Amino acid sequence: MADLEVYKNLSPEKVERCMSVMQSGTQMIKLKRGAKGLVRLFYLDEHRTRLRWRPSRKSEKAKILIDSIYKVTEGRQSEIFHRQAEGNFDPSCCFTIYHGNHMESLDLITSNPEEARTWITGLKYLMAGISDEDSLAKRQRTHDQWLKHTFEEADKNGDGLLNIEETHQLMHKLNVNLPRRKVRQMFQEADTDENQGTLTFEEFCVFYKMMSLRRDLYLLLLSYSDKKDHLTAEELAQFLKVEQKMNNVTTDYCLDIIRKFEVSEENKAKNVLGIEGFTSFMRSPACDVFNPLHHEVFQDMEQPLCNYYIASSHNTYLTGDQLLSQSRADMYARVLQEGCRCVEVDCWDGPDGEPVVHHGYTLTSKILFRDVVETINKHAFVKNEFPVILSIENHCSVQQQRKIAQYLKAIFRDKLDLSSVDTGDSKQLPSPQSLRGKILVKGKKLPYHLGDDAEEGDVSDEDSADEIEDECKFRLHCNNGTTEHQVESFIRKKLESLLKESQIRDKEDPDSFTVRALLKATHEGLNAHLTQHPDVKESGKKSHGRSLMTNFGKYKQKTTKSRSKSYGTDDEEDAQQPPSKEPSPLSRLGRRRKTMKLCRELSDLVVYTNSVAAQDIMDDGSTGNVLSFSETRAHQVVQQKAEQFMVYNQKQLTRVYPSAYRIDSSNFNPLPYWSTGCQLVALNYQSEGRMMQLNRAKFKTNGNCGYVLKPQQMCKGTFNPFSGDPLPANPKKQLVLKVISGQQLPKPPDSMFGDRGEIIDPFVEVEIIGLPVDCCKDQTRVVDDNGFNPMWEETLTFTVHMPEIALVRFLVWDHDPIGRDFVGQRTVTFSSLVPGYRHVYLEGLTEASIFVHITINDICGKWSPLILNPSYTILHFLGATKSRQLQGLKGLFHKNPRLAASDSNPHSMRKRSLGDRILRRTASAPAKGRKKSKTGFHEMVEIKESVCEPAREPDGVLRRTARSLQARPVSMPVGRTLLGAWPPAPAVAEAAEGKESPPVQF
């Protein structure tokens, strides 16, 4: 960040003085929301990686990683400080640390200005050092920190030494299942000092290296070193060319690798790379699964805006849910820093003529519009200079609209001036390159028939706020002695109670609790209570709680009952939807449209991004229209008119945002909308989860600049994304993925017994996410009792029709008797995969990775599923039809995946019992150590029936059978398979008979 540059050049004396004060500790007051300040001792740990404090009831959580600090502000700038009386604290003694994914604030007050200055300077110096690191330095630093932290946690008595018993406990925590005799032997070999029976940190590092010796990498080194224990520069060059598919590999390049990664001075002198250096190189960013060239902008940025996917945020100002959470201007800084290029601002009339930003009809807090604009102006172009789109939801009076326009022009200045932008063609949108450094205002525009002299006019007023039914909107009426604060406090407590209940609902049946029910119940219960008890006081809340929950329970049962008549249960939590009462875009034409007044000043700021109503979807319109859809309405269009929608998106922009009923700020699946060319698919950036992981992976490519070029086939021409072979004339890609091993896989984050729990039984699942025909999953076998260095050595094969939009998702699971527990994941765009031996580091985990070998083949000509896809071959031989296979895939584009099943199955599925769910979860995990057995006739019929109806995930993704690849030996080259070098048909049949049964879905 630009304001940190000055701290990189501090004198060593000043740095050491700051570090000394911070590590010694300083007593400060920690302010908390709605509570008195707490006096705590804050200090920097000895490694300068964590800020800690004591005393604390949750000592393990009383820390902030320096890596996680977003910014440090001086004075009384945070919301918590603003709530304090003006004269309570000296501003020069106050500062705030913003950290974490949700921009949490730590508000601190020192006893004198000098202490505050020292801490601010020291923290910014540490942040500047981290921001200046390259990827290799950061990987080494995080590894060293992890080793030190692991040692300290294992040192139970705090004497700076590890004894043998502490080492055994550490082995269990690290998921290492070695005989105690072997551990003791390595312990004794590492224990070389005079103090026998204990390991110092340096000795522990030697012990850890012995324990971490990679058999897979050692065999790989031997295969290229003529069975020596090192590689020469020439042998290293041969490995890089043959296995890693690198071009222009020079001897100097190989010598540079040896200098960087070799740890032995003797080997460096001989210009050879030993096993430790080779391991360090293979685990470095140079051998990551993500193409290092894609960390920079590499795509053509001269095409019209409509030819790009654009990273977009929904209700950017919110830090949490859509009803109760805080609004913060800093959230704009955070999402812009993450690469987002389209942010949303909901503008409402505020006091004293000042427009405010918040989520209408809810209890979210309000922030000044001026503060939001100033934050955007400061951070819009720090990471890159490609244009930012400001999506304004305007709910203001004409007077405050003029204030909004005034602020935009005064603060953004020439960033709004688009007069010099050259589009080259008046009928097409400008390119991101031509708009560098510009801010586009997306909003309503006065109709042309009004003329330029009209100061204001009527425009449509249909937006996300209108998705909430009127009876569910919160409007506080304060009368009969009731204060606004009392009503707000009352609603907040009841909503928090209901939200907690929603968070512990049965994840296998999310429809048992709907957000629409929550909204209706809360509102109806409140109205009934205010009617019966107009003098609402704190003491009356308990009785209201009963009526509120009773009301909710009735609606909940009614909703669940009505839904269970039509559909089966939905297993994908992220895909949950309320019962749809949304009218189609065409039926909305029949009702009277809402309108609002718009002033000329604000209208004139809208140039290339004019918001238009949903019913105009198939109208040609003029260039520069932006169609805004909620996910429910967009879903209908994707279902009914996918190809026309794709054509529309070749000239105009479309924005899709989450349903107003996602009050928990959950996200929908963006893939169906990307697959039809929608550019602005807006997600809740504050909500971590599967959908944000897909979004992050999508935009990490092309330098994380927020703009990713759409496939050429979506920019010109059209195709049906639902088709079984959507692009028959185009070559396909075959991904051959050998999953070799895992490294330092931790216990699941929600493990019941934490580090004391059982050693995990990991398996790897690989998922392709893209066009419906490409969506599928496959998985390895389970490795028992080994999370430290499990070996799989299994090959998974996938065929991808449109690799340009496909994502590859690597997931690690811990198998248990009643299902599986999530360990970690990493998602990468298909186009960013690099061939060869690669490490896939799991997101958010320091050392955890899986080691894979990647081969990507081109497949030309007519697609033959019988040759290219082994699991498809088995489905074909057992009688699965193409329509049935595609049935599960089409569910991806349904608002509720069960619609796909109900279309083709006249018999609705009964609601599953708890026993059925446990059986289903058990069957969903791959078999562990199951003996192969021949299948009799009756068993074969059962297998045929289960395979004819392929196992489907809740989002409509086809799950491959777990052992679908065992008919072809892992050692058989793929080339021989493609050339027809299969064993005779009887041999295939025998192999199939020996296969394990596929997972069964109940």
Side-chain angles (χ1 to χ4, degrees):
M1 296 171 65
D3 58 342
L4 294 178
E5 288 296 322
V6 65
Y7 291 92
K8 295 177 183 177
N9 302 317
L10 292 177
S11 67
E13 296 79 15
K14 188 168 186 178
V15 169
E16 283 308 312
R17 187 167 62 252
C18 288
M19 296 299 111
S20 176
V21 169
M22 293 166 70
Q23 289 180 321
S24 299
T26 304
Q27 284 212 333
M28 293 185 257
I29 298 174
K30 175 186 173 187
L31 284 186
K32 294 182 68 176
R33 190 186 310 276
K36 293 182 179 178
L38 305 173
V39 177
R40 296 289 182 264
L41 178 70
F42 288 82
Y43 62 97
L44 184 69
D45 72 353
E46 60 177 310
H47 312 300
R48 301 181 180 179
T49 60
R50 290 175 174 84
L51 169 63
R52 309 196 69 127
W53 59 91
R54 62 173 184 259
S56 173
R57 286 178 296 176
K58 301 177 181 177
S59 58
E60 187 54 35
K61 294 186 177 180
K63 62 184 179 186
I64 294 174
L65 292 175
I66 301 298
D67 273 358
S68 72
I69 297 178
Y70 171 70
K71 72 173 181 177
V72 179
T73 61
E74 306 177 42
R76 298 163 43 94
Q77 295 191 35
S78 74
E79 180 187 350
I80 291 179
F81 272 124
H82 287 163
R83 293 190 174 195
Q84 301 292 324
E86 189 67 36
N88 279 4
F89 307 108
D90 181 357
S92 62
C93 296
C94 304
F95 67 99
T96 301
I97 301 170
Y98 292 94
H99 62 98
N101 290 334
H102 295 286
M103 293 284 287
E104 300 166 67
S105 67
L106 177 63
D107 301 276
L108 301 173
I109 305 164
T110 60
S111 57
N112 59 72
E114 181 61 31
E115 286 180 342
R117 187 71 250 159
T118 298
W119 274 86
I120 293 168
T121 301
L123 289 172
K124 289 192 174 184
Y125 170 78
L126 293 172
M127 292 167 63
I130 290 171
S131 67
D132 207 31
E133 285 180 334
D134 61 22
S135 57
L136 178 59
K138 184 172 184 177
R139 164 118 287 279
Q140 187 60 48
R141 177 177 60 82
T142 54
H143 172 73
D144 294 343
Q145 289 175 2
W146 181 85
L147 265 181
K148 189 68 177 176
H149 183 63
T150 301
F151 177 82
E152 289 174 348
E153 286 197 334
D155 180 16
K156 300 298 183 183
N157 57 11
D159 62 356
L161 301 169
L162 291 189
N163 58 39
I164 187 65
E165 191 54 42
E166 289 172 331
T167 304
H168 283 306
Q169 292 176 14
L170 176 60
M171 296 298 97
H172 186 82
K173 177 186 174 183
L174 295 178
N175 286 309
V176 181
N177 188 17
L178 284 177
R180 294 177 76 90
R181 176 181 52 79
K182 181 67 175 174
V183 174
R184 181 174 290 276
Q185 179 186 339
M186 290 191 297
F187 185 94
Q188 290 171 348
E189 289 181 26
D191 187 9
T192 57
D193 64 4
E194 296 177 356
N195 191 9
Q196 291 292 300
T198 56
L199 298 180
T200 64
F201 176 67
E202 291 72 21
E203 290 172 332
F204 169 71
C205 291
V206 175
F207 172 83
Y208 182 79
K209 284 180 181 178
M210 288 192 291
M211 185 178 66
S212 306
L213 181 65
R214 295 275 298 276
R215 171 179 165 271
D216 50 358
L217 291 180
Y218 187 65
L219 293 176
L220 185 58
L221 180 144
L222 291 179
S223 67
Y224 276 88
S225 66
D226 196 19
K227 299 185 178 178
K228 303 188 300 292
D229 64 353
H230 60 262
L231 289 170
T232 65
E234 292 74 20
E235 290 165 343
L236 178 59
Q238 182 71 0
F239 168 76
L240 296 177
K241 291 173 185 175
V242 174
E243 295 292 353
Q244 308 298 80
K245 308 300 180 188
M246 293 177 64
N247 300 318
N248 305 319
V249 178
T250 64
T251 303
D252 288 341
Y253 177 76
C254 295
L255 290 174
D256 187 52
I257 290 175
I258 293 171
R259 282 192 294 270
K260 277 184 180 178
F261 295 98
E262 181 52 54
V263 294
S264 165
E265 292 301 326
E266 182 181 350
N267 283 350
K268 280 185 181 179
K270 295 178 181 178
N271 287 331
V272 296
L273 191 65
I275 182 59
E276 282 190 45
F278 184 65
T279 301
S280 297
F281 170 64
M282 292 301 295
R283 286 181 65 81
S284 74
C287 294
D288 189 78
V289 70
F290 185 85
N291 190 337
L293 298 178
H294 291 188
H295 286 298
E296 305 295 332
V297 175
F298 69 95
Q299 295 180 343
D300 176 15
M301 303 303 287
E302 300 278 2
Q303 298 189 31
L305 279 179
C306 53
N307 286 6
Y308 297 86
Y309 298 114
I310 305 172
S312 305
S313 164
H314 171 251
N315 286 358
T316 312
Y317 46 88
L318 291 181
T319 59
D321 65 74
Q322 304 286 310
L323 284 181
L324 305 170
S325 66
Q326 298 297 311
S327 304
R328 287 185 185 166
D330 290 317
M331 290 300 292
Y332 290 90
R334 182 198 142 197
V335 301
L336 290 167
Q337 177 114 340
E338 291 181 12
C340 180
R341 294 284 93 183
C342 177
V343 295
E344 184 177 14
V345 185
D346 282 334
C347 304
W348 298 79
D349 281 352
D352 304 321
E354 288 289 333
V356 295
V357 174
H358 78 115
H359 192 29
Y361 312 119
T362 71
L363 302 179
T364 56
S365 63
K366 301 176 176 67
I367 52 178
L368 291 175
F369 176 79
R370 181 185 67 249
D371 292 345
V372 168
V373 177
E374 287 175 346
T375 302
I376 294 172
N377 185 58
K378 183 177 179 181
H379 297 275
F381 305 111
V382 171
K383 284 291 183 179
N384 70 76
E385 294 188 351
F386 291 110
V388 170
I389 299 173
L390 194 64
S391 180
I392 291 185
E393 291 279 359
N394 178 16
H395 306 274
C396 293
S397 62
V398 171
Q399 291 79 9
Q400 296 211 13
Q401 287 178 33
R402 293 194 173 101
K403 201 70 174 284
I404 288 174
Q406 176 187 330
Y407 283 135
L408 290 174
K409 288 186 280 191
I411 295 171
F412 289 150
R413 298 178 180 271
D414 58 345
K415 295 185 181 73
L416 292 176
D417 181 12
L418 304 178
S419 59
S420 60
V421 175
D422 180 21
T423 63
D425 182 353
S426 60
K427 293 187 177 180
Q428 73 176 22
L429 291 168
S431 68
Q433 183 67 31
S434 66
L435 290 168
R436 288 172 73 96
K438 299 298 182 182
I439 292 177
L440 304 179
V441 177
K442 171 190 164 297
K444 303 289 184 182
K445 199 166 178 63
L446 290 175
Y448 293 108
H449 65 77
L450 285 180
D452 294 339
D453 55 341
E455 292 296 317
E456 59 186 60
D458 290 332
V459 295
S460 69
D461 182 26
E462 296 187 357
D463 53 39
S464 58
D466 289 320
E467 286 220 311
I468 305 179
E469 295 159 359
D470 285 339
E471 66 267 27
C472 293
K473 295 177 180 178
F474 291 112
R475 296 185 176 92
L476 299 181
H477 301 288
C478 305
N479 47 31
N480 297 326
T482 307
T483 67
E484 179 175 335
H485 174 72
Q486 287 174 328
V487 176
E488 181 174 335
S489 173
F490 172 71
I491 297 173
R492 186 178 296 276
K493 285 195 173 184
K494 295 307 168 188
L495 278 175
E496 285 174 346
S497 170
L498 288 172
L499 281 171
K500 284 179 183 176
E501 181 177 332
S502 75
Q503 290 166 0
I504 60 173
R505 65 188 179 274
D506 182 0
K507 292 184 179 181
E508 297 289 334
D509 186 14
D511 294 321
S512 64
F513 191 105
T514 67
V515 290
R516 183 187 295 250
L518 187 150
L519 281 169
K520 278 182 174 292
T522 305
H523 178 82
E524 291 169 4
L526 174 67
N527 270 357
H529 185 75
L530 291 179
T531 302
Q532 297 170 15
H533 307 281
D535 54 339
V536 175
K537 301 295 176 186
E538 296 293 322
S539 60
K541 293 180 182 178
K542 186 176 292 186
S543 63
H544 171 73
R546 286 196 295 272
S547 67
L548 183 68
M549 296 306 294
T550 302
N551 203 0
F552 168 77
K554 291 177 182 177
Y555 195 87
K556 169 181 169 182
Q557 293 168 7
K558 180 181 175 183
T559 306
T560 306
K561 184 176 180 181
S562 65
R563 290 179 66 83
S564 63
K565 289 180 181 179
S566 305
Y567 314 123
T569 52
D570 177 8
D571 298 326
E572 174 67 62
E573 186 179 9
D574 283 337
Q576 63 174 308
Q577 292 283 350
S580 176
K581 293 183 182 178
E582 291 293 343
S584 67
L586 294 177
S587 69
R588 293 169 63 87
L589 285 169
R591 75 184 189 198
R592 184 173 182 145
R593 295 177 62 185
K594 297 179 181 179
T595 60
M596 64 172 289
K597 291 289 184 183
L598 177 67
C599 73
R600 170 66 63 183
E601 294 93 326
L602 192 54
S603 172
D604 286 347
L605 295 179
V606 178
V607 181
Y608 297 114
T609 46
N610 174 31
S611 295
V612 294
Q615 57 263 30
D616 299 330
I617 177 174
M618 294 310 164
D619 293 349
D620 291 335
S622 57
T623 303
N625 291 335
V626 181
L627 179 67
S628 285
F629 270 142
S630 75
E631 59 175 298
T632 48
R633 297 175 195 166
H635 166 76
Q636 294 169 355
V637 177
V638 167
Q639 284 275 311
Q640 299 164 12
K641 301 180 179 181
E643 294 184 59
Q644 293 134 295
F645 198 17
M646 191 179 296
V647 171
Y648 175 88
N649 288 327
Q650 292 171 2
K651 296 292 184 184
Q652 309 283 13
L653 297 176
T654 297
R655 181 174 182 268
V656 181
Y657 53 86
S659 165
Y661 293 104
R662 290 186 180 273
I663 59 170
D664 58 349
S665 294
S666 60
N667 284 311
F668 58 90
N669 185 358
L671 261 297
Y673 310 108
W674 287 336
S675 297
T676 49
C678 296
Q679 300 87 353
L680 300 160
V681 182
L683 299 183
N684 291 304
Y685 270 57
Q686 73 273 29
S687 297
E688 189 51 54
R690 173 185 168 91
M691 302 314 169
M692 267 308 296
Q693 289 161 2
L694 301 184
N695 190 74
R696 210 161 34 236
K698 177 79 172 176
F699 290 102
K700 186 175 182 181
T701 190
N702 204 34
N704 198 32
C705 72
Y707 287 83
V708 172
L709 200 57
K710 290 178 3 183
Q712 194 60 30
Q713 301 92 326
M714 286 189 184
C715 299
K716 294 180 180 177
T718 186
F719 62 90
N720 180 7
F722 290 101
S723 171
D725 191 6
L727 300 163
N730 288 34
K732 286 78 179 172
K733 295 285 186 182
Q734 184 191 53
L735 173 63
V736 182
L737 186 69
K738 185 173 184 180
V739 182
I740 301 170
S741 63
Q743 295 77 42
Q744 284 121 297
L745 304 176
K747 292 177 173 62
D750 54 354
S751 176
M752 184 180 298
F753 298 104
D755 294 335
R756 295 179 291 107
E758 293 182 347
I759 292 175
I760 65 172
D761 307 322
F763 67 94
V764 176
E765 180 179 71
V766 180
E767 180 181 6
I768 305 295
I769 307 166
L771 291 185
V773 70
D774 291 335
C775 292
C776 58
K777 298 179 180 181
D778 209 347
Q779 59 196 22
T780 68
R781 62 185 172 85
V782 172
V783 172
D784 291 330
D785 295 331
N786 188 352
F788 189 75
N789 54 0
M791 297 289 293
W792 291 286
E793 297 202 16
E794 294 192 40
T795 302
L796 313 178
T797 308
F798 304 92
T799 300
V800 181
H801 292 67
M802 182 172 272
E804 295 90 345
I805 67 167
L807 301 171
V808 183
R809 187 167 167 84
F810 301 87
L811 299 105
V812 178
W813 299 92
D814 173 25
H815 172 76
D816 68 53
I818 60 168
R820 59 186 186 176
D821 294 317
F822 175 77
V823 175
Q825 69 83 35
R826 172 84 178 275
T827 308
V828 183
T829 54
F830 188 99
S831 58
S832 294
L833 292 176
V834 192
Y837 288 97
R838 303 289 166 183
H839 279 92
V840 183
Y841 281 94
L842 303 184
E843 195 173 275
L845 299 174
T846 306
E847 293 293 301
S849 64
I850 53 179
F851 187 47
V852 300
H853 183 272
I854 294 173
T855 305
I856 299 175
N857 302 316
D858 288 322
I859 303 169
C860 300
K862 182 66 177 175
W863 176 53
S864 176
L866 302 182
I867 295 175
L868 302 179
N869 192 330
S871 58
Y872 193 108
T873 303
I874 293 170
L875 289 175
H876 178 84
F877 283 138
L878 294 180
T881 63
K882 187 174 184 180
S883 62
R884 272 179 152 176
Q885 293 153 20
L886 293 177
Q887 178 186 337
L889 302 178
K890 286 188 177 181
L892 175 69
F893 279 63
H894 281 284
K895 177 179 66 177
N896 190 316
R898 292 168 298 181
L899 291 175
S902 62
D903 288 344
S904 59
N905 183 7
H907 307 289
S908 59
M909 294 174 60
R910 66 180 177 85
K911 191 178 179 73
R912 287 196 302 268
S913 67
L914 178 61
D916 285 340
R917 294 178 199 165
I918 292 176
L919 286 172
R920 187 199 64 77
R921 291 187 66 198
T922 306
S924 70
K928 298 199 308 176
R930 186 186 302 166
K931 292 183 179 179
K932 295 182 180 179
S933 60
K934 291 189 178 181
T935 308
F937 176 75
H938 293 291
E939 288 90 343
M940 196 67 189
V941 171
E942 291 174 3
I943 291 175
K944 178 176 179 178
E945 289 175 352
S946 66
V947 175
C948 287
E949 191 69 25
R952 287 187 298 275
E953 288 298 302
D955 52 3
V957 174
L958 176 67
R959 174 181 285 283
R960 301 255 181 90
T961 54
R963 302 268 42 86
S964 62
L965 297 173
Q966 288 216 4
R968 174 172 62 82
V970 172
S971 59
M972 179 185 292
V974 177
R976 287 181 58 198
T977 305
L978 296 179
L979 292 172
W982 283 92
V988 175
E990 289 174 7
E993 286 180 354
K995 283 171 55 62
E996 297 170 3
S997 301
V1000 180
Q1001 297 285 341
F1002 288 83

